[in-house]
């Protein structure tokens, strides 16, 4: 399979307690062949990144998830620059703990609460993609559910009715938990998320957040590469089968 | 506040767990009466937990040498195996039984933290975790409480730390009702030449304590772990430590970065006996000494006494000996990670450890006299043939009535907590972080972990059927090694080395010491056969319940943690049936054998019978052939026969892809033995029909017994033309039984 497309620069933020930073760097760099650098959370400069580049807030347990997941990381020095970068139209992707940080930082609406079964859950789940109108979903077949793992204790998405309404009206809901046939049923909802919401974007469509881990499902050797298409979409890669 | 230390006498020594003989020996070594702090130091360092005094003589009979060993057992915190390509694998298993029995959540969590520290203190990055858990009867409310606590403790610690749990085992048996077993294993990778030693070379070099501050938790934890669990043990709660996985994650990153600066001479984590153990072991190893100022140690509480600081088992701490003149390099790394890094003393050439506080020497002890291999006592205990062996001898299969309804028996057996899926447990563990877990989506008998940047994968497993060891400690321990090797072989790997966690009762009980002695013998023999040296591990004695009528030891449980290597991860073999029409074979010999089977316990309530059939040579030959069959790509799935026998093995291969099977049993054998017996050295394989000729020819050449059982077919289970129902229905029981029991 040959890949050709745009070169995109990625910066993966390392908070104290991030533990999916290396996984993200592996997929973006080694698997997707993009330029990727680690960004220590105490840094404040993002001058090397342009509008077409992407800052990733990876999974993990920033600050041990003490207090509330993501609640302390939003005060890390780098976050001020990340918010500024996003406000200037740069791409920001938050996965799992990164989604929690993005919500806490106000980059995305809503909050992520403790799973309804009160337990950490690690398993593969099916995702229904609701729109192609986002850089990260542009190449995804909406009819074909993706199998992507989750691994979190606080992934129950919650937002007030007005927010939910505007998310729907603006086509900001990217992924919903579903069964293997694409039905977003209660049984297919692993954590009690409102309306089965698994991933969203902001109104400007340049900040993405999701609980599932596409970086854990992007290589054939792992027996599942359903998540890879999210990175391919984001990078704008044209894939020759 | 002035607190005077207790006067030292024999009674005080005995209260600290020392014998009269040991108390006398201490006075002899010191040439004077020790003070209370010094006596406390000896009591923890000479405790079973730190000194291995009742086991070391026997442990030394185990094979510790191999072509690929870079560090042998006992030399460092864990063994180190050369996996080729300039990489080493560090791995070890350790128990945290007593703390987990008292406080399951923290006990299990700190067990995980402790074993990971053993790995990264050597400079290796942990990439996989496993665990081996033993609980009592699952119908007991107390057991359910322990299961929930242990599982969330392991999960919360490991998930935050960011190392996947890739494998393990969970067993339930009444013998563990009060004394559960929690054994945790960590596997790490290090570049050759970047390892770090637990030494204190170079008098004059600075000594740092890094990581968390020191609190009052876990004082005398090692002594606590070296005594019987009693009803009063809950009063020892302060002896249980509290874990902070976030601190551990920071400590991991900072420690590995610190090693990279070149400023680290030696490093050792603080586990049992805290500062005492790390200072004395590192000094003894380098034949140096240390001068330590306890006033410099960051503490969590005010007014901590010097002996409390010395013995605290607060977690997430390391002792580092730095290179003089490079202190600033170390301090910069720990500052970056917002961790404490305090200069608390220096290396000396006196052979003595001096602990200072408020300008005075509060304890002065000879380092070598404290440690294993130095002055620590060594004993061999009496043995006697266990009385229960009589009951085992009396077992006769002919007295066991064959079931009239084999389907009913299959259903009962299949719903046993020991047989059903442990999904409820493992879904609470992050099994995929680090994106190296090859067997999450492609299940195999051992867990396979890719080594990034190479074509290699590690195959890892923990195994021990303690009922077999109870029946015959010698043979049972051999089977534990053989089964671990079989799991690795069936996954496409080649067994390389083991670590062991030896969980036994009180060594002063001659029957327990008989079990221990013979288990070591069997383990050694099997390890020599499979060329899998023992790289290290730990011994946990005193696992028993004190009842009004006497003590009841747990089943002897020598858990084997085995490492195997796949030179090319593409040779991974999986256990699931692949396609309808594939032929199903059993390799190895069928036997009229139901001994020590789960079936015998579940269906007949019989708990005393011999070990199932096992011959080391036969097992070895079978495994060699399977390795070749996999490399020749003649098999589509490989799954070994273990608990629950052939029936459960077939079900496990079918359920993954919802593929049924149609097989026939052999009327020359009892049907219950054929389907549910646990005779060893048997494996189920499925093959493409076009490979049958080559497959049979190879087995003929190798002289391996085989039986054509039938084929992969439809979505139903069919045995001897009788329908056993839909695979989906069985899977429902398999997936949900534990959940239903634990969340009812």
């Amino acid at each position: 399979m040959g890949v050709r497309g745009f070169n995109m620069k990625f910066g993966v933020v390392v908070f104290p307690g991030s533990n999916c930073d290396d996984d993200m760097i592996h997929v973006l760099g080694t698997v997707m062949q993009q330029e990727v650098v680690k960004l220590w959370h105490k840094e404040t400069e993002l001058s090397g990144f342009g509008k077409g580049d992407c800052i990733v807030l990876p999974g993990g347990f920033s600050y041990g998830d003490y207090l509330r997941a993501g609640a302390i990381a939003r005060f890390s020095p780098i976050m001020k620059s990340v918010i500024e970068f996003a406000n200037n139209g740069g791409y920001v992707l938050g996965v799992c703990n990164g989604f929690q940080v993005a919500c806490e930082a106000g980059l995305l609406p809503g909050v992520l609460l403790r799973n309804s079964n009160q337990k950490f859950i690690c398993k593969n789940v099916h995702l229904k993609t609701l729109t192609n109108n986002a850089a990260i979903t542009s190449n995804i077949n909406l009819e074909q559910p993706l199998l992507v793992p989750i691994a979190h204790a606080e992934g129950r998405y919650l937002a007030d009715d007005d927010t939910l309404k505007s998310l729907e009206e603006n086509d900001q809901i990217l992924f919903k938990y579903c069964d293997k046939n694409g039905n977003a049923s209660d049984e297919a909802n692993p954590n009690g998320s409102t309306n089965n919401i698994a991933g969203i974007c902001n109104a400007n469509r340049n900040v993405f957040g999701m609980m599932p881990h596409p970086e854990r499902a992007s290589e054939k050797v792992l027996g599942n590469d359903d998540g890879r298409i999210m990175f391919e979409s984001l990078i704008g890669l044209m894939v020759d089968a | 506040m002035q607190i005077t230390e207790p006067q030292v006498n024999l009674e005080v020594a005995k209260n600290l767990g020392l014998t009269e003989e040991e108390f006398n020996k201490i006075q002899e070594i010191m040439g004077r009466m020790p003070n209370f702090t010094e006596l406390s130091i000896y009591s923890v360092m000479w405790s079973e937990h730190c000194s291995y005094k009742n086991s070391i003589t026997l442990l030394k009979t185990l094979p510790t040498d191999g072509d690929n060993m870079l560090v042998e057992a006992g030399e460092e915190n864990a063994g180190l195996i050369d996996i080729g390509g300039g990489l080493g694998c560090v791995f070890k298993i350790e128990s945290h039984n007593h703390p987990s029995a008292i406080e399951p959540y923290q006990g299990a969590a700190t067990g995980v933290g402790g074993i990971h520290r053993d790995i990264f203190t050597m400079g290796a990055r942990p990439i996989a975790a496993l665990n081996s858990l033993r609980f009592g009867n699952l119908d007991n409310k107390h057991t359910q409480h322990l299961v929930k606590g242990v599982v969330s403790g392991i999960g919360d610690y490991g998930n935050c730390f960011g190392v996947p749990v890739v494998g393990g085992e969970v067993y339930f048996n009444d013998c563990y009702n009060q004394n559960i077993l929690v054994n945790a294993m960590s596997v790490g990778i290090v570049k050759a030449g970047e390892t770090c030693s637990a030494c204190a070379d170079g008098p004059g070099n600075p000594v740092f304590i890094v990581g968390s501050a020191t609190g009052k938790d876990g004082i005398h934890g090692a002594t606590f772990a070296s005594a019987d669990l009693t009803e009063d043990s809950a009063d020892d709660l302060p002896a249980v430590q509290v874990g902070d996985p976030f601190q551990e994650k920071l400590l991991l990153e900072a420690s590995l970065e610190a090693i990279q600066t070149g400023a680290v001479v030696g490093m050792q984590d603080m586990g049992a006996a805290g500062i005492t153990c790390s200072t004395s072991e590192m000094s003894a190893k380098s034949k140096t000494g240390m001068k330590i100022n306890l006033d410099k140690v960051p503490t969590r509480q005010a007014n901590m006494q010097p002996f409390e600081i010395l013995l605290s088992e607060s977690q997430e701490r390391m002792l580092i000996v730095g290179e003089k003149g490079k202190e600033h390099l170390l301090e910069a790394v720990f500052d970056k990670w917002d961790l404490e890094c305090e200069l608390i003393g220096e290396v000396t050439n006196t052979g003595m450890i001096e602990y200072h506080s408020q300008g005075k020497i509060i304890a002065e002890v000879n380092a070598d006299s404290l440690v294993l291999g130095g002055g620590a006592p060594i004993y061999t205990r009496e043995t006697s043939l266990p009385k229960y062996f009589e009951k085992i001898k009396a077992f006769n299969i002919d007295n066991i009535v064959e079931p009239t309804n084999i389907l009913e028996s299959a259903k009962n057996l299949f719903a046993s907590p020991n047989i059903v899926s442990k999904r409820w447990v493992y879904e609470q563990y992050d099994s995929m972080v680090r994106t190296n877990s090859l067997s999450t989506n492609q299940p195999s008998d051992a867990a396979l972990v890719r080594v990034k940047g190479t074509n290699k994968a590690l195959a890892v497993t923990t195994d021990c059927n303690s009922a077999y060891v109870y029946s015959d400690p010698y043979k049972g321990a051999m089977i534990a090694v053989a089964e671990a090797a079989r799991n690795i072989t069936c996954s496409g790997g080649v067994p390389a080395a083991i670590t062991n966690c030896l969980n036994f009762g009180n060594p002063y009980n001659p029957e327990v010491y008989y079990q221990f002695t013979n288990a070591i013998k069997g383990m050694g023999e099997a390890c020599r056969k499979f060329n899998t040296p023992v790289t290290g591990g730990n011994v946990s004695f005193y696992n028993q319940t004190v009842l009004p009528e006497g003590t009841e030891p747990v089943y002897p449980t020598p858990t084997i943690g085995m490492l195997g290597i796949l030179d090319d991860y593409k040779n991974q073999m999986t256990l699931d049936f692949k396609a309808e029409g594939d032929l199903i074979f059993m390799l190895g010999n069928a036997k009229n054998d139901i001994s020590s089977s789960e079936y015998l316990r579940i269906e007949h309530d019989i708990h005393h019978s011999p070990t199932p059939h096992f011959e080391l040579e036969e097992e070895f030959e079978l495994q060699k052939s399977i390795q070749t069959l996999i490399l020749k790509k003649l098999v589509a799935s490989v799954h070994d026969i273990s608990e629950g026998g052939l029936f459960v093995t077939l079900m496990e291969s079918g359920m993954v892809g919802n593929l049924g099977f149609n097989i026939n049993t052999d009327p020359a054998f009892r049907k219950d033995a054929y389907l549910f017996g646990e005779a060893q050295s048997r494996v189920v394989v499925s093959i493409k029909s076009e490979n049958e000729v080559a497959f049979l020819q190879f087995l003929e050449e190798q002289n391996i017994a085989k039986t054509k059982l039938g084929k992969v077919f439809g979505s139903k289970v069919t045995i001897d033309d009788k329908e056993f129902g839909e695979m989906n229905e069985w899977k429902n029981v398999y997936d949900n039984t534990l959940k239903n029991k634990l969340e009812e």
Side-chain angles (χ1 to χ4, degrees):
Chain A
M1 186 173 71
V3 286
R4 58 189 157 76
F6 310 106
N7 270 327
M8 195 167 180
K9 184 176 175 182
F10 287 88
V12 177
V13 177
V14 182
F15 297 103
S18 292
N19 64 29
C20 302
D21 44 342
D22 287 342
D23 302 352
M24 192 57 89
I25 288 164
H26 170 74
V27 167
L28 294 171
T30 309
V31 179
M32 305 305 299
Q33 297 286 304
Q34 301 299 303
E35 185 185 356
V36 53
V37 293
K38 261 190 188 184
L39 300 169
W40 182 236
H41 75 113
K42 288 180 187 172
E43 289 174 31
T44 51
E45 264 303 303
L46 289 179
S47 55
F49 291 85
K51 197 175 167 186
D53 294 334
C54 181
I55 301 298
V56 181
L57 309 175
F61 287 69
S62 57
Y63 294 92
D65 275 358
Y66 297 142
L67 191 60
R68 195 173 61 242
I72 306 178
R74 62 171 284 215
F75 294 111
S76 266
I78 201 168
M79 283 309 292
K80 199 167 159 254
S81 312
V82 172
I83 292 168
E84 209 175 280
F85 176 77
N87 288 341
N88 289 333
Y91 289 123
V92 175
L93 166 63
V95 171
C96 198
N97 193 229
F99 185 16
Q100 295 159 342
V101 174
C103 288
E104 291 285 339
L107 285 170
L108 291 168
V111 289
L112 293 145
L113 302 177
R114 198 147 175 87
N115 296 343
S116 53
N117 74 352
Q118 301 297 313
K119 285 203 281 282
F120 186 95
I121 308 168
C122 175
K123 66 176 182 183
N124 284 319
V125 296
H126 285 99
L127 296 179
K128 181 184 175 68
T129 309
L130 277 83
T131 175
N132 290 123
N133 184 18
I136 200 162
T137 60
S138 53
N139 292 353
I140 303 175
N141 177 356
L142 303 187
E143 303 305 313
Q144 181 65 49
L146 301 174
L147 190 70
V148 181
I150 55 167
H152 60 248
E154 298 178 47
R156 177 161 56 98
Y157 185 78
L158 186 77
D160 61 50
D161 290 346
D162 289 346
T163 305
L164 290 170
K165 198 161 159 248
S166 73
L167 283 176
E168 278 185 30
E169 283 174 359
N170 297 325
D171 205 15
Q172 284 172 251
I173 301 172
L174 303 180
F175 304 107
K176 284 188 175 186
Y177 301 109
C178 66
D179 62 20
K180 63 179 185 222
N181 300 317
N183 303 311
S185 62
D186 285 350
E187 295 73 39
N189 187 344
N191 55 20
S193 281
T194 309
N195 299 342
N196 287 42
I197 290 172
I200 59 172
C201 67
N202 64 346
N204 287 332
R205 316 194 83 76
N206 63 322
V207 178
F208 320 107
M210 67 182 83
M211 288 314 294
H213 286 272
E215 80 278 15
R216 297 185 180 189
S218 290
E219 296 173 86
K220 279 222 156 52
V221 57
L222 299 176
N224 179 10
D225 59 356
D226 275 15
R228 186 184 166 115
I229 194 157
M230 295 188 199
F231 298 111
E232 289 171 350
S233 300
L234 181 60
I235 295 161
L237 286 179
M238 307 301 287
V239 179
D240 305 328
Chain B
M1 191 173 65
Q2 184 69 39
I3 292 179
T4 47
E5 287 192 346
Q7 197 68 37
V8 168
N9 55 38
L10 179 59
E11 195 190 345
V12 171
K14 281 186 170 168
N15 283 339
L16 288 173
L18 291 160
T19 65
E20 184 172 359
E21 185 193 345
E22 288 166 350
F23 182 51
N24 292 336
K25 195 173 168 192
I26 292 164
Q27 295 172 57
E28 200 181 295
I29 289 168
M30 299 190 73
R32 62 178 167 87
M33 184 65 90
N35 64 33
F36 179 75
T37 302
E38 290 162 341
L39 189 69
S40 295
I41 290 170
Y42 274 98
S43 96
V44 290
M45 290 305 294
W46 285 9
S47 71
E48 193 69 57
H49 193 78
C50 293
S51 76
Y52 293 83
K53 58 189 169 191
N54 287 308
S55 61
I56 188 65
T57 306
L58 289 164
L59 294 180
K60 287 199 163 157
T61 66
L62 292 169
T64 54
D65 212 3
D67 311 336
N68 52 8
M69 295 280 288
L70 296 176
V71 170
E72 280 188 30
E75 277 183 30
E76 295 286 353
N77 282 289
L80 177 56
I81 292 285
D82 183 358
I83 61 167
L87 294 174
C89 177
V90 185
F91 71 114
K92 191 180 180 188
I93 190 166
E94 213 167 63
S95 65
H96 232 217
N97 304 336
H98 288 187
S100 305
I102 302 297
E103 212 297 283
Y105 180 87
Q106 289 297 347
T110 53
V112 172
I115 195 61
H116 283 313
R117 273 197 303 287
D118 269 340
I119 302 307
F120 70 79
T121 191
M122 289 181 64
R125 177 177 286 280
I127 63 164
L130 297 93
N131 53 67
S132 173
L133 310 177
R134 301 289 185 288
F135 297 102
N137 191 321
L138 189 54
D139 292 329
N140 293 347
K141 283 281 168 232
H142 183 61
T143 299
Q144 294 174 7
H145 157 75
L146 292 172
V147 171
K148 288 175 190 169
V150 166
V151 170
S152 54
I154 291 173
D156 285 358
Y157 202 101
N159 297 342
C160 178
F161 185 57
V163 174
V165 174
V166 298
E169 44 176 6
V170 185
Y171 283 96
F172 302 92
N173 190 297
D174 288 1
C175 75
Y176 305 111
N177 271 348
Q178 273 83 17
N179 197 138
I180 61 173
L181 303 183
V182 174
N183 296 175
M185 175 168 160
S186 175
V187 182
I189 290 286
V190 61
K191 277 193 192 136
E194 293 188 3
T195 54
C196 186
S197 173
C199 71
D201 290 350
N205 276 333
V207 179
F208 292 89
I209 188 167
V210 303
S212 293
T214 299
K216 290 192 180 185
D217 48 335
I219 292 171
H220 284 301
T223 314
F224 164 65
S226 306
D228 294 339
L229 271 189
T230 67
E231 277 187 3
D232 302 329
S233 292
D235 300 340
D236 287 332
L237 207 52
V240 180
Q241 312 86 346
V242 178
D244 181 345
F246 172 59
Q247 286 292 314
E248 177 109 333
K249 169 68 175 166
L250 303 186
L251 188 60
L252 160 72
E253 300 300 339
S255 298
L256 296 184
E257 265 185 45
I259 293 169
Q260 292 295 325
T261 66
V264 176
V265 172
M267 173 155 64
Q268 177 160 342
D269 75 304
M270 291 199 213
I275 295 177
T276 306
C277 186
S278 49
T279 51
S280 54
E281 285 188 354
M282 289 176 83
S283 302
K285 186 177 172 70
S286 295
K287 302 199 185 327
T288 52
M290 279 186 198
K291 205 182 264 187
I292 301 291
N293 184 354
L294 295 176
D295 300 339
K296 298 275 190 193
V297 175
T299 55
R300 270 178 225 165
Q301 286 122 323
N303 299 321
M304 276 184 74
Q305 296 299 304
F307 85 91
E308 291 176 317
I309 295 172
L310 272 175
L311 299 179
S312 162
E313 294 187 1
S314 286
Q315 301 288 294
E316 293 92 26
R317 299 178 302 160
M318 292 275 193
L319 195 75
I320 293 183
V321 171
E323 194 176 318
K324 197 170 174 59
K326 292 187 177 173
E327 292 86 346
H328 60 287
L329 295 177
L330 286 178
E331 284 159 357
V333 168
F334 288 92
D335 186 52
K336 173 187 166 188
W337 289 96
D338 296 322
L339 288 171
E340 305 260 20
C341 175
E342 242 356 276
L343 179 67
I344 61 166
E346 65 173 15
V347 178
T348 65
N349 60 5
T350 61
M352 302 294 285
I353 319 261
E354 282 175 32
Y355 300 107
H356 294 250
S357 178
Q358 301 193 330
K360 284 186 295 196
I361 296 182
I362 55 112
E364 189 175 13
V365 286
N366 177 287
D368 198 55
S369 75
L370 294 170
V371 302
L372 167 69
I378 294 175
Y379 307 120
T380 306
R381 296 284 156 205
E382 272 175 53
T383 64
S384 73
L385 204 65
K387 285 181 204 67
Y388 68 82
F389 277 18
E390 289 302 321
K391 290 194 222 169
I392 287 169
K393 266 194 210 144
F395 175 81
N396 182 348
I397 188 173
D398 296 335
N399 297 335
I400 309 295
V401 182
E402 274 196 68
T404 47
N405 186 340
I406 202 86
L407 174 56
E408 209 52 43
S409 295
K411 282 183 175 167
N412 291 338
L413 170 65
F414 198 72
S416 160
N418 287 327
I419 300 292
V420 293
S421 166
K422 307 304 180 291
R423 179 182 296 270
W424 185 90
V425 173
Y426 68 71
E427 280 188 354
Q428 296 184 57
Y429 304 149
D430 192 333
S431 53
M432 305 184 213
V433 62
R434 304 206 66 77
T435 61
N436 296 320
S437 306
L438 304 184
S439 24
T440 306
N441 299 314
Q442 307 153 123
S444 42
D445 279 359
L448 297 193
V449 182
R450 156 175 73 169
V451 182
K452 282 199 183 109
T454 74
N455 291 329
K456 291 175 191 297
L458 307 178
V460 280
T461 180
T462 57
D463 288 286
C464 180
N465 184 318
S466 62
Y468 301 168
V469 189
Y470 177 72
S471 293
D472 182 341
Y474 169 72
K475 222 180 217 187
M478 268 205 234
I479 293 176
V481 175
E483 186 183 354
R486 201 187 308 138
N487 284 332
I488 283 169
T489 295
C490 292
S491 311
V494 177
I498 74 156
T499 172
N500 58 26
C501 194
L502 308 173
N503 310 273
F504 286 77
N506 186 329
Y508 294 82
N509 172 344
E511 294 194 358
V512 167
Y513 212 67
Y514 175 94
Q515 293 171 333
F516 186 70
T517 306
N518 284 282
I520 295 288
K521 206 172 141 203
M523 183 182 299
E525 205 168 313
C527 284
R528 274 183 280 271
K529 185 76 212 176
F530 287 102
N531 195 19
T532 50
V534 182
T535 65
N538 102 312
V539 179
S540 171
F541 282 132
Y542 303 98
N543 291 293
Q544 50 194 1
T545 305
V546 180
L547 303 165
E549 62 274 19
T551 60
E552 196 56 51
V554 299
Y555 281 0
T557 313
T559 308
I560 304 297
M562 192 178 277
L563 171 76
I565 297 167
L566 281 76
D567 280 328
D568 187 344
Y569 60 71
K570 291 195 191 75
N571 292 324
Q572 172 179 12
M573 180 43 63
T574 49
L575 63 80
D576 53 313
F577 293 148
K578 298 300 182 298
E580 190 152 331
D582 284 359
L583 307 176
I584 304 172
F585 281 83
M586 176 169 71
L587 307 188
N589 296 297
K591 298 274 173 198
N592 249 341
D593 188 347
I594 53 173
S595 289
S596 283
S597 62
E598 185 68 12
Y599 161 73
L600 197 54
R601 286 186 292 274
I602 293 284
E603 277 292 90
H604 301 279
D605 199 23
I606 289 177
H607 301 263
H608 289 92
S609 62
T611 54
H613 165 83
F614 176 75
E615 293 293 340
L616 189 54
E617 197 61 41
E618 177 191 353
E619 173 80 38
F620 184 73
E621 292 303 321
L622 175 73
Q623 291 194 25
K624 263 197 340 200
S625 294
I626 289 170
Q627 285 166 6
T628 312
L629 279 173
I630 293 171
L631 290 178
K632 283 175 174 274
K633 306 209 179 300
L634 288 174
V635 280
S637 73
V638 180
H639 189 16
D640 87 314
I641 297 180
S642 58
E643 288 85 16
L646 173 66
F647 176 72
V648 170
T649 301
L650 290 165
M651 295 301 293
E652 286 173 347
S653 291
M655 280 184 292
V656 179
N658 194 32
L659 286 167
F661 56 83
N662 187 343
I663 63 136
N664 290 304
T665 64
D666 184 338
F669 300 89
R670 287 171 62 125
K671 199 178 264 197
D672 57 351
Y674 201 85
L675 288 174
F676 313 134
E678 298 177 14
Q680 296 294 294
S681 313
R682 295 181 302 150
V683 166
V684 167
V685 303
S686 66
I687 66 167
K688 298 264 157 241
S689 54
E690 62 263 31
N691 287 332
E692 189 177 9
V693 174
F695 170 78
L696 290 175
Q697 192 189 341
F698 173 76
L699 292 175
E700 203 65 43
E701 285 162 16
Q702 302 300 311
N703 199 21
I704 297 291
K706 70 272 171 195
T707 311
K708 190 173 183 176
L709 296 171
K711 57 174 66 170
V712 180
F713 180 75
S715 60
K716 282 191 178 67
V717 179
T718 310
I719 298 175
D720 296 332
D721 298 326
K722 183 180 159 72
E723 280 199 5
F724 274 43
E726 287 286 337
M727 203 47 110
N728 266 339
E729 293 162 18
W730 289 90
K731 188 166 168 30
N732 194 26
V733 172
Y734 189 72
D735 282 346
N736 295 315
T737 297
L738 274 197
K739 180 175 187 239
N740 293 342
K741 277 190 184 280
L742 283 157
E743 294 182 358
E744 65 195 3

